[in-house]
Amino acid sequence: MKFPTMVLAAAAVLALPACSSTEVVRAPVEATIGQQLIDLKSAFNNGALSRSEYDSQRRRLIDSVK
C-alpha cells in the first residue's frame, strides 16, 4: 500500500514547480503615516522589532513626510 502513496507524493512534488510564479502581487497600501506609526509601535511592543529597528523605521516614516 505504500507504493501508491509514494507515487502520489512524487507526482505532487514534481507538479510544484509548474505552479510557481515570480510575480509578486501586493495589495495597495493606503495607511496613513499615523496608522503606520501606531502599527510600528505595536510591533515594537510585541517584540517583533528591536529598539534600533523601531527607531530607524520610525525616523524613516517621519522623514518621508518632510
Side-chain angles (χ1 to χ4, degrees), residues 16-64:
L16 286 177
C19 296
S20 68
S21 174
T22 58
E23 182 181 354
V24 176
V25 179
R26 295 185 181 172
V29 177
E30 308 241 354
T32 64
I33 297 296
Q35 184 59 54
Q36 290 178 50
L37 287 168
I38 291 168
D39 293 344
L40 191 63
K41 182 67 172 176
S42 177
F44 172 70
N45 288 341
N46 290 324
L49 296 173
S50 68
R51 169 57 77 179
S52 63
E53 290 170 322
Y54 169 74
D55 290 340
S56 172
Q57 292 299 320
R58 182 178 174 276
R59 176 59 37 212
R60 192 167 149 202
L61 273 172
I62 291 170
D63 288 346
S64 74

